[in-house]
Amino acid sequence: MKEATAMGSDGGLLAPVWAGTRAEAITSDAAWLRAMLEAEAALARAQARLELIPSEAAAAIDRTAAALVLDPADLARRARQSANPVVPLVSDLRRAVPGAASSVHRGATSQDILDSAAMLVATRAIRGIVGDLSAIMRDLGGLAERHRDTVMAARTLGQQAVPTTFGLKAAGWLAGLMRARARLRELRLPAQLGGAAGTLAAFAEAPGDPGKALLLAEVFAEEIGLAAPPMPWHAERSAVTELGAALTATARALGKPATDIILMAQTEVGEVAESSAGSSSAMPQKRNPALSVLVRSAALQVPAYTQVLGQVGEHERAAGAWQAEWLPLREALRLTGGAAETAAELVAGLRVFPERMRANAELTGGRLLAERLAAHLDRQTLERALSAEGPLRDVEGRLLDPEAYLGAAPELVDRILATYREQP
């Protein structure tokens, strides 16, 4: 066993929901560093296309950035002198291309590179999240269809309320994830290019043409594979805020089935079970809903991280508010991505026990149908029946059939499934 060191990298010891998932690799220090180098290379290619730097210099920068291996921990320590890691990264890149050093990072500011890299990392993370959501939705659609008419007790404020179906519960989970996926798909994460204070002045100076500077921002976005914004957004952080809101909505939509499954898998309820081992360090008889616990933990954390995103900053470039976004954004992406991958495993392996659902629905001796009885019995008769010990007596049997009091539950399942099937 390797001995842990104080300088060890973050492997998710305290966040097992994303440990070992695709989200961990996509959002790692190495991935962020690679994205920053990709941004520098994209800028050089864009400038060469507009003849703002020599094409030979752009080619050298592109090759070198693709092959350059830097130590994230070393960059982090050196970043303490400039409050961001782009400054030491640019120094290293310039040293690596001595013949084209003057063309590296020309006209750009650190925020151009780091914001663009952040949007690149987020785009890749979201692609994985959307893929996992699609897999979860497919499996939930199957559950909703198979259990369209599977009777169970609906619970409000923790107590049995009226009959429903497990299909409708699964369809409700599906509906939330459909909205979350649609929101993620609608995001158009932008590239960032504004120069020192968002005026593009350094890019316009050499050619003496402001129009070319505007065009450069569009070409840079094309080269890096992000949306072209109408103007630099150094101090206008709605793009980050919207990203955070979409991640929060997704984490919460994933947290809903996880929370319900935790409760439905309780020993005395036993309506569902996970495929995970769910072992305990002290109680060998236990089978904890480990996957659900992991997903729920992420759903509770993501909103706390995203509330830091897009804080109001000063003037054209923020001192502190921008820097405060980096870690919370990374953690929100990690947690949501890890939750999505974990939830896909959870739903794919979920075991459903309809007989326990039916038995639980009958625990109160017909009182689950009290709302229905109120429409057929006078108040005194109903109160007398409900106050008696044991199962309800002297009540017409047909009124106590839970399958006859499902309202539009099966039809609601059909409606949600039809909407799901219409989605691309």
Side-chain angles (χ1 to χ4, degrees), residues 100-360:
S102 62
S103 296
V104 172
H105 196 72
R106 181 179 290 183
T109 192
S110 297
Q111 190 168 354
D112 292 334
I113 301 304
L114 192 47
D115 276 350
S116 295
M119 295 300 100
L120 202 55
V121 169
T123 296
R124 291 165 179 167
I126 288 170
R127 189 178 301 126
I129 293 169
V130 167
D132 284 326
L133 292 183
S134 296
I136 297 166
M137 289 161 58
R138 181 187 64 245
D139 289 337
L140 286 179
L143 284 173
E145 185 172 26
R146 288 193 299 276
H147 295 282
R148 175 184 184 271
D149 303 304
T150 299
V151 173
M152 66 178 297
R155 298 172 174 96
T156 63
L157 304 185
Q159 303 296 304
Q160 290 195 1
V162 296
T164 186
T165 73
F166 181 63
L168 184 57
K169 184 178 285 288
W173 299 340
L174 173 60
L177 291 170
M178 281 195 292
R179 286 189 287 271
R181 186 180 69 169
R183 193 165 182 177
L184 290 174
R185 283 176 165 176
E186 289 168 1
L187 290 172
R188 295 294 180 265
L189 299 182
Q192 176 76 280
L193 191 66
T199 65
L200 296 165
F203 301 118
E205 182 68 14
D209 181 3
K212 209 161 193 177
L214 294 172
L215 181 58
L216 175 63
E218 296 178 7
V219 175
F220 171 63
E222 181 183 324
E223 287 288 342
I224 201 171
L226 294 169
M231 65 176 291
W233 45 280
H234 292 154
E236 198 289 289
R237 308 301 288 174
S238 59
V240 180
T241 303
E242 290 166 5
L243 170 58
L247 292 172
T248 295
T250 301
R252 285 174 170 161
L254 291 164
K256 174 56 176 166
T259 300
D260 286 352
I261 289 168
I262 289 170
L263 296 174
M264 294 171 70
Q266 287 178 290
T267 305
E268 60 272 27
V269 179
E271 294 175 343
V272 297
E274 288 189 3
S275 61
S276 66
S279 57
S280 165
S281 65
M283 295 162 283
Q285 85 283 6
K286 290 190 70 181
R287 185 171 182 175
N288 296 318
L291 298 175
S292 297
V293 168
L294 291 176
V295 175
R296 177 166 161 75
S297 74
L300 294 173
Q301 292 178 77
V302 172
Y305 280 114
T306 58
Q307 70 179 350
V308 181
L309 304 180
Q311 296 289 334
V312 176
E314 311 82 10
H315 301 301
E316 282 65 51
R317 297 275 302 284
W322 173 56
Q323 289 82 355
E325 292 176 356
W326 308 340
L327 181 62
L329 175 58
R330 198 251 290 271
E331 293 307 309
L333 290 167
R334 277 179 167 180
L335 287 165
T336 307
E341 187 169 332
T342 305
E345 180 183 354
L346 165 65
V347 175
L350 189 66
R351 298 165 61 200
V352 181
F353 306 114
E355 68 282 359
R356 285 300 299 269
M357 293 178 177
R358 185 61 182 247
N360 289 335

Side-chain angles (χ1 to χ4, degrees), residues 9-13 15-32 121 125 129 330-331 333-339 341:
S9 61
D10 182 1
L13 179 64
V17 68
W18 55 254
T21 66
R22 290 187 303 275
E24 178 183 12
I26 290 170
T27 62
S28 67
D29 281 355
W32 280 79
V121 169
I129 293 169
R330 198 251 290 271
E331 293 307 309
L333 290 167
R334 277 179 167 180
L335 287 165
T336 307
E341 187 169 332

